[in-house]
Amino acid sequence: MAYAEKVYKVRNGQRTKQFTWRVMYKAPDGHSPAWLSKSGFQTKKTAEDWGTEQERLIREGTWIDPAKQTVTFGEFARIFMASRKKRGRTVGTRWDKLEKHILPRWDGVPLRKISWFDVDTWQQTMDLEDVSRGHCVSLMSTIMTAAMDAGYLTVNPLFGRRRTKDTSGDAARPKAPKIQRDGGPRPEDAVLLAERLGPAVGVHVLTTAFGGLRWGEGLGLHRDNTLLTRRQPWGSGVFECPILRIAEEYAEYQERDEDGRKKGYVLKLEPTKNDGSTRDVDVPPFLAQLLRHHLADWPHPRIFCTPSGVPWRRGNWSRLFRPACDGRQEREKRQGVAYRAAWEPILPGLDMRALRALHDTLQSELGVKEPLAFEAAGHRRPGIKRHYQKPTSAMRAERLDGLEETYWRAMRNVGLATMWGRVDLRKRTAESVP
């Protein structure tokens, strides 16, 4: 039960007759100290009423510890980041958003003084793409929800709110697409690009375009998980096909300590992005044939790596990949420099993400059923249907037939019969040589 007591003012070391009131109220169970106080009330009743209100809030579970009421967004954001053990790339991305965009505005603002009006006004002024603004606000909301769960706030003012989007001036104009072609990349582009880059890199391109692997998943693909066999009942028999088992991926990011201090860029092998990403991808016959040939020639455990056996860094990959897509000028031979032929552009702006998107586009074009389309892409299907509908052998056979036909039609369209000038993509044994 809250009670009030006098607090006499002191002047020159002597107590005077002037006083104010201090209230003492019972803290929640387990709190140290067990009793809390607040001074400066002018009347006994005001002090007792305030203490009684605090005890009511404690009973209802909506009381905020006074020690937490002055905590700033920046202070709690650092607590949040230290307590959330995410994948390295996720942690790095969150720190980048905090340091570059969020903390410069909100670092010293007390949590309880942050309102949706102020946040919505601020995000409209950010010199970023709209999707990046949304990611910043979403991260702020996640941190504010954690602050509420930790007893720093009674409500998250950002939760469930819809951002105001700038529709004036240049903001209303559509942004120029990265790939300057309606419909995006074609299977023919993937074939031409793979042919240009050669067997070791070209098979990586085709696996992405016709298998839908993410960039990091392709780098992490181990030969022990390549061309395993799926066996599944089908009618009175068994359906079999080769698969790629996606169980891990490489992530390149700037490593940080628990306080967010930068430690340098690293390339690490990590678990897949989420439970939907860990999957077995069915491989069409043409790609299985190319992969068998590649496995026989490639000496390294990771089948899509540099010739020296280390994972591709994004910068090194771009120096190889961009000229193949965008084209390049002829380079004359001179002392110390080899001749380099000119390349006509295949599709400027094409990247590995667009090739992964091509696979999903092909699945839609071929009418691949949703249970299998989501599985092959590594997406977690939303809704109750993911618990009821499962990929069947008939669905798998239909998808593989469609991808196989799409590949060979693309080969015919670009005038190729084989990849990389080989007469037969299958490895010839000594006994088969005349």
Side-chain angles (χ1 to χ4, degrees), residues 91-167:
V91 172
T93 300
R94 284 180 169 180
W95 271 118
D96 285 344
K97 286 182 170 56
L98 285 168
E99 287 189 344
K100 294 178 182 178
H101 308 297
I102 301 174
L103 292 182
R105 169 63 179 85
W106 301 102
D107 194 355
V109 180
L111 286 166
R112 61 189 179 86
K113 290 190 176 181
I114 296 177
S115 70
W116 171 245
F117 178 83
D118 291 337
V119 172
D120 191 37
T121 302
W122 161 74
Q123 66 89 18
Q124 293 179 68
T125 67
M126 298 172 70
D127 187 20
L128 293 172
E129 293 289 337
D130 186 69
V131 65
S132 297
R133 297 180 191 180
H135 290 161
C136 289
V137 174
S138 177
L139 177 56
M140 277 193 72
S141 181
T142 298
I143 293 173
M144 297 282 281
T145 297
M148 185 179 69
D149 294 338
Y152 291 81
L153 294 170
T154 57
V155 66
N156 173 11
L158 313 187
F159 180 76
R161 305 301 296 268
R162 178 174 294 180
R163 292 183 301 115
T164 301
K165 297 187 179 182
D166 187 4
T167 58

Side-chain angles (χ1 to χ4, degrees), residues 322-392:
R322 289 264 51 86
C325 298
D326 305 339
R328 71 183 184 192
Q329 304 256 335
E330 181 183 24
R331 185 177 68 190
E332 297 287 343
K333 182 179 180 181
R334 60 183 185 273
Q335 186 174 3
V337 178
Y339 171 78
R340 187 183 68 186
W343 280 347
E344 290 295 321
I346 291 176
L347 181 57
L350 180 64
D351 57 18
M352 294 296 276
R353 177 175 290 185
L355 288 173
R356 167 172 156 79
L358 170 62
H359 165 258
D360 212 37
T361 301
L362 291 177
Q363 290 198 125
S364 180
E365 183 180 281
L366 296 170
V368 177
K369 306 301 186 295
E370 275 199 1
L372 180 56
F374 275 86
E375 177 194 275
H379 294 151
R380 190 169 184 265
R381 188 183 181 191
I384 193 65
K385 291 297 185 183
R386 74 171 177 269
H387 300 292
Y388 284 86
Q389 296 179 352
K390 306 298 180 183
T392 66

Side-chain angles (χ1 to χ4, degrees), residues 38-51:
K38 182 175 175 62
S39 304
F41 296 97
Q42 296 301 312
T43 66
K44 179 179 181 180
K45 184 177 187 309
T46 304
E48 289 178 341
D49 287 348
W50 191 90

Side-chain angles (χ1 to χ4, degrees), residues 100-376:
K100 294 178 182 178
H101 308 297
I102 301 174
L103 292 182
R105 169 63 179 85
W106 301 102
D107 194 355
V109 180
L111 286 166
R112 61 189 179 86
K113 290 190 176 181
I114 296 177
S115 70
W116 171 245
F117 178 83
D118 291 337
V119 172
D120 191 37
T121 302
W122 161 74
Q123 66 89 18
Q124 293 179 68
T125 67
M126 298 172 70
D127 187 20
L128 293 172
E129 293 289 337
D130 186 69
V131 65
S132 297
R133 297 180 191 180
H135 290 161
C136 289
V137 174
S138 177
L139 177 56
M140 277 193 72
S141 181
T142 298
I143 293 173
M144 297 282 281
T145 297
M148 185 179 69
D149 294 338
Y152 291 81
L153 294 170
T154 57
V155 66
N156 173 11
L158 313 187
F159 180 76
R161 305 301 296 268
R162 178 174 294 180
R163 292 183 301 115
T164 301
K165 297 187 179 182
D166 187 4
T167 58
S168 62
D170 292 340
R173 297 176 184 172
K175 302 296 187 294
K178 179 185 284 188
I179 299 175
Q180 300 292 328
R181 181 199 286 159
D182 291 341
R186 307 166 302 158
E188 289 80 1
D189 299 318
V191 168
L192 289 172
L193 185 58
E195 173 72 11
R196 175 173 284 180
L197 288 170
V201 177
V203 72
H204 187 180
V205 168
L206 292 175
T207 302
T208 303
F210 289 89
L213 275 62
R214 297 180 177 92
W215 168 249
E217 293 171 348
L219 297 186
L221 184 61
H222 196 282
R223 63 171 52 244
D224 291 344
N225 288 330
T226 304
L227 298 185
L228 306 179
T229 302
R230 180 192 300 279
R231 292 182 176 86
Q232 187 172 320
W234 191 15
S236 60
V238 175
F239 170 80
E240 291 189 359
C241 74
I243 61 169
L244 304 178
R245 178 154 294 162
I246 309 302
E248 53 194 359
E249 62 180 279
Y250 270 101
E252 185 177 356
Y253 57 91
Q254 189 166 65
E255 196 172 28
R256 297 173 182 259
D257 62 18
E258 289 189 352
D259 296 323
R261 289 187 290 267
K262 297 176 181 178
K263 298 170 62 177
Y265 279 90
V266 296
L267 187 61
K268 286 188 174 181
L269 195 63
E270 296 184 342
T272 51
K273 190 174 182 179
N274 50 49
D275 56 354
S277 299
T278 302
R279 64 197 187 280
D280 292 339
V281 179
D282 301 333
V283 179
F286 83 89
L287 186 55
Q289 188 174 342
L290 293 175
L291 285 169
R292 288 189 195 99
H293 196 104
H294 179 62
L295 288 173
D297 293 339
W298 199 243
H300 306 296
R302 306 288 170 181
I303 69 169
F304 300 140
C305 61
T306 67
S308 60
V310 299
W312 284 102
R313 292 276 187 169
R314 289 183 181 272
N316 293 337
W317 176 264
S318 293
R319 280 189 285 274
L320 174 72
F321 191 80
R322 289 264 51 86
C325 298
D326 305 339
R328 71 183 184 192
Q329 304 256 335
E330 181 183 24
R331 185 177 68 190
E332 297 287 343
K333 182 179 180 181
R334 60 183 185 273
Q335 186 174 3
V337 178
Y339 171 78
R340 187 183 68 186
W343 280 347
E344 290 295 321
I346 291 176
L347 181 57
L350 180 64
D351 57 18
M352 294 296 276
R353 177 175 290 185
L355 288 173
R356 167 172 156 79
L358 170 62
H359 165 258
D360 212 37
T361 301
L362 291 177
Q363 290 198 125
S364 180
E365 183 180 281
L366 296 170
V368 177
K369 306 301 186 295
E370 275 199 1
L372 180 56
F374 275 86
E375 177 194 275

